Every structure is written in structure tokens, then in C-alpha cells.
Amino acid sequence: MGMTLGLESCPPTQEVNKVLSAVQDAQGPKPKVQSSGKNLLNLASSNFLGYITNEDIKAKAIETLHNYGVGSCGPPGFYGTLDVHINLEKDIARFLGTESAIIYAQGFSTVASVISAFSKRGDIIVADEGCNFAIQKGTQISRSVIRWYKHNDMADLERVLESINKESRANKKRPLTRRFIVTEALFQNYGDIAPLDKIMELKHKYKYRVILDESNSFGLLGKTGRGLTEVYNVSPRDVDMIIGSMANTLSGAGGFCAGAKEVVEHQRLSGQAFVFSASIPAMLAVCASEAINILGTNQGERLLKDLHENSAAFRNVVVSPSAQSIEVSSDAGSPILHLRFPAASLAAAGVTTRDEETFLLQEIVDEVATKDGVMITRAKYVETQEMHLPRPSIRVSISASHGKKEVEKAAQAIKAAFAKVLSKRK
């Protein structure tokens, strides 16, 4: 059970079989998978700081469960708001250095809800082509005018902003509009980092508001995990809206938006995902608060240090001169790494379609799971709805809970699997 179909027997539209059917126990550094009953090194989850197995957080969760029960059983405006929700909002604002913050029950819905709460029909959104699916959905439901700029290309961003300015000057009767630049901090689909310093320069030059999605960088980037604003030494109060997820680094659920008080209060009536969703369980809110508090301690500093060292160790293996079968789009320092075949290698192997490339990547996933005990995953997309569909890739998520030698060994196994599947095609 569990081996995938070969390329020869897979119709182009058929989904490849999965080796890993389900995880049998807690998501941790080495969970047991149902298909084989074996424990695999987990490089597929967003448990970046190992909070899922953190004993302090687990103790807080049990205590809160006894005190508050399982769920909130109501949206925030209808007695679904608990004191622990208010405390979490204060903790987020304090940690980031913003005036206020608001929490949402679902991470995916947060950024889409925030965008549509502020940008309406006729307003202008200028967004990075590399933005994730949730941002794409937010721009669509806002019914705003959407202009895309090339991924992380600041020259192209300025070109787009300048072209909008020219259009506005030519049409003097056009009503005043709200204008936004939308970008991720750490891109989910590429693993690279937005040049926030340049974006802020253009924000001020062309008088735009910035919506920064830190869902994949909150708790990870910067010396203390405060995200991209800390990396570039940009005041969080200069960024109009900072979006984040509590389902990734904090190992909880939901999302948040941090910013000025009036920005936050507007969402309590206009943020659809806030108004019409039940509040997150008290247990998860307390766990998120505890996770944030840990980031400000020596334990948090040590976890971030271990994470960055593990990320560097993995990267050093897969970008080495001997790893000619792997292309890495992720920036140094990113715990999210996207691994792809170089275009030249695919051409030499006679691989010409997206489906063939996807099947080769799935072979790698299966190979390292069954042979090397490493759990990785292909990046998954809603291909028929993505506005700018990325090339197929394997998405690796590094964790502080792994040992450096384990990470290096896993990287060697993945590198060997990349070379092996290509060599079979030549």
C-alpha cells in the first residue's frame, strides 16, 4: 500500500496516490503515519518553533479547557467574546508595537476579510503577483480595480504606480479613491522575502496605504520574531495594516490584524469574517498568548536561534554545487523552502508538461518517506483559480525541534531523490 503510480500509468488529470494517508498521533517532530506505522521526520507542517509539543503551552491549554470549556458558541458581537480574546488582542499589539489588534477565527479568511473591509468598488489595489490564494480572493471580493506587479520587482511596482498616477491626471473627473499596496512579508509560494524598505519608500512617494501579510513570518523573522518590520527596522505603526496567522508559528488557530485603533475598530462592524464567525475557543486563545509570551523570553530566543541554524544547515546542502538538480527560490534565513527542478534539467530529461513535473515531485515525496523516513509535501494549489500559478514545487518547512544532523541528513536524502528521479528519465 502507498507507492504512487508511475508516470507511464498516470493519465494527466489523475491525482497521484499518496504514500501518507494520515498522521496517527500528535503533530510533532516525528509523528507516526497510518499507512506504514512508522515515525517520520516532519518537514511538512508549520510547527516551526515546536510549540505543538511545548509543555508550558499544553499545561495552559488543559487549565483553560477546565475553566472555559470547549468552544465560545457565538460570534464576537453576540456574547462570543471572552476575556482571554481581549487579552490576546492586547498581547499581539504589545508584541508588535502597534496601537491595537483584532483576532479572527480563521487564518485563511483574515486577510481576505481585511482587504474587502477597506477597499471597495472603484478603489485601487496594487498587489504582488506572488501573493497567496487568500490575498487573491480578498482582492476579488473587494470588487476594486486590481493591478499586479511582477513578483518582488520594485521597478515594476513603481511603473504600475506611475501609470495609475498618469491615468488619474488624465481623468480629472474621476472621484477620489482609496489606494493600497498589498504584499506578503514571507511569500508562501516562494519562500522569499519582500523588500519592505523599498515598498515603504514608494508608499510615501505615491501616497498609498500598505497591507502587509505576515502570516508566514510572524514569530519567525527578525531577532525576536516580530516579523519583517523588525528585519528592516521599519516602525510597525508606519504600516497601515499588519495581517498575521495564529495557525502557523503559534500552533493555534485563527488570524489577526494589527494597526491603528480606528483601523481595528472599523473591522468589528465591517470585517465579515469577524462579524459572522464564532470566536476561537478560549483554549486556543490562551495558547496563542502563551506562545507570544515565550517569544519574549530566553526560551524564545533559543528556539529562534535553533530554527535559523537548522534552516541554514538544510539550505547549505540543497544549494551546494553538487545539488545541480535542485532550484531554490527561498531567501537565506527563510524556514520555508520551495524546491523545484531547474528548467534546463527538465528539458534535458524530456519533461515538457506541468503534470509530468508534478508526478516527478511526487515520486520524490514518496521516495524519501518510504526509504529515508522523511515527511515532505508538494505545494498544492487551486490551479483553475490561481491568478498567477507558480511552478510545481516541494515545500519544506524547517522546525527548531529537529537536530541539526537530522536536518542535514534529510536534506541529503531529498537531494539524492531529486537526482535519482531525473536520471531515470534520461
Side-chain angles (χ1 to χ4, degrees):
M1 172 184 177
M3 290 305 293
T4 59
L5 298 174
L7 286 173
E8 303 79 18
S9 56
C10 269
T13 57
Q14 181 175 332
E15 177 64 21
V16 182
N17 289 343
K18 308 296 191 300
V19 169
L20 310 178
S21 53
V23 173
Q24 280 187 308
D25 54 8
Q27 279 277 13
K30 293 182 179 179
K32 181 184 290 186
V33 293
Q34 191 176 51
S35 57
S36 65
K38 295 180 179 179
N39 293 87
L40 305 185
L41 188 78
N42 191 351
L43 297 180
S45 80
S46 56
N47 184 31
F48 297 107
L49 297 181
Y51 278 159
I52 285 178
T53 53
N54 184 284
E55 293 300 326
D56 294 332
I57 294 177
K58 287 165 73 172
K60 286 281 186 180
I62 294 170
E63 178 186 356
T64 307
L65 183 61
H66 286 305
N67 292 338
Y68 288 85
V70 176
S72 61
C73 297
F78 296 89
Y79 300 102
T81 297
L82 305 173
D83 56 349
V84 293
H85 296 140
I86 297 171
N87 293 340
L88 175 56
E89 291 178 345
K90 290 178 179 178
D91 287 339
I92 291 168
R94 172 189 53 78
F95 182 74
L96 284 176
T98 60
E99 188 178 2
S100 190
I102 182 173
I103 60 172
Y104 286 76
Q106 187 187 32
F108 180 87
S109 299
T110 302
V111 70
S113 182
V114 172
I115 290 172
S116 59
F118 291 95
S119 189
K120 306 295 184 181
R121 188 187 299 273
D123 293 333
I124 298 173
I125 294 174
V126 180
D128 190 300
E129 287 184 352
C131 283
N132 62 52
F133 191 61
I135 291 176
Q136 295 173 35
K137 291 289 109 178
T139 62
Q140 286 180 322
I141 64 177
S142 74
R143 299 173 296 175
S144 303
V145 176
I146 314 301
R147 299 287 294 273
W148 300 94
Y149 64 92
K150 295 176 183 177
H151 177 51
N152 264 352
D153 187 331
M154 294 300 99
D156 194 55
L157 171 56
E158 184 158 23
R159 179 193 62 80
V160 172
L161 298 177
E162 188 60 42
S163 69
I164 293 171
N165 265 10
K166 289 180 180 178
E167 292 169 10
S168 298
R169 287 195 295 267
N171 185 7
K172 294 182 179 179
K173 293 184 179 181
R174 183 173 182 171
L176 291 174
T177 57
R178 287 164 290 203
R179 301 181 177 192
F180 302 88
I181 297 172
V182 181
T183 183
E184 287 185 81
L186 173 58
F187 285 88
Q188 180 174 305
N189 294 336
Y190 296 93
D192 53 356
I193 296 168
L196 184 61
D197 54 344
K198 303 298 183 184
I199 291 172
M200 296 303 291
E201 287 177 13
L202 295 174
K203 158 194 161 68
H204 294 301
K205 180 177 178 179
Y206 290 92
K207 297 179 173 56
Y208 275 65
R209 297 179 174 93
V210 169
I211 299 177
L212 179 65
D213 186 358
E214 295 254 25
S215 292
N216 293 293
S217 51
F218 176 72
L220 297 181
L221 297 185
K223 184 178 179 181
T224 61
R226 285 174 167 82
L228 200 62
T229 55
E230 185 175 36
V231 172
Y232 283 99
N233 196 28
V234 171
S235 171
R237 297 193 178 217
D238 286 343
V239 180
D240 299 275
M241 283 160 263
I242 298 176
I243 316 297
S245 172
M246 298 180 293
N248 293 331
T249 305
L250 303 186
S251 298
F256 66 82
C257 178
K261 185 176 180 180
E262 57 268 24
V263 168
V264 166
E265 293 307 312
H266 176 73
Q267 295 173 64
R268 298 197 190 277
L269 291 177
S270 299
Q272 294 188 15
F274 178 83
V275 174
F276 298 108
S277 297
S279 304
I280 62 172
M283 175 179 66
L284 294 178
V286 170
C287 289
S289 284
E290 181 65 15
I292 291 171
N293 292 336
I294 290 173
L295 281 171
T297 66
N298 291 335
Q299 181 186 358
E301 289 182 14
R302 187 178 67 254
L303 288 172
L304 284 170
K305 181 175 179 290
D306 291 344
L307 176 66
H308 295 153
E309 288 180 354
N310 284 349
S311 299
F314 187 96
R315 183 181 178 84
N316 288 340
V317 173
V318 296
V319 300
S320 64
S322 62
Q324 295 181 2
S325 301
I326 303 178
E327 177 182 288
V328 181
S329 62
S330 309
D331 281 338
S334 170
I336 298 173
L337 293 97
H338 279 267
L339 312 180
R340 295 177 170 91
F341 291 111
S345 298
L346 290 174
V351 177
T352 58
T353 68
R354 183 181 182 89
D355 286 324
E356 287 181 303
E357 189 175 353
T358 298
F359 294 145
L360 287 177
L361 291 172
Q362 186 62 42
E363 282 191 30
I364 294 170
V365 172
D366 298 347
E367 169 86 6
V368 298
T370 56
K371 179 183 174 184
D372 304 291
V374 177
M375 182 193 297
I376 55 176
T377 182
R378 288 185 294 111
K380 310 295 175 61
Y381 306 102
V382 186
E383 296 191 5
T384 57
Q385 297 186 39
E386 288 278 350
M387 295 182 182
H388 305 279
L389 182 63
R391 280 185 55 208
S393 67
I394 286 175
R395 185 178 188 268
V396 174
S397 300
I398 306 298
S399 176
S401 56
H402 296 138
K404 183 179 177 181
K405 290 185 177 180
E406 288 179 316
V407 171
E408 290 175 335
K409 184 178 179 181
Q412 292 286 358
I414 294 169
K415 181 175 75 171
F418 262 85
K420 179 179 178 180
V421 298
L422 275 183
S423 66
K424 289 194 301 183
R425 294 279 297 180
K426 294 178 180 179

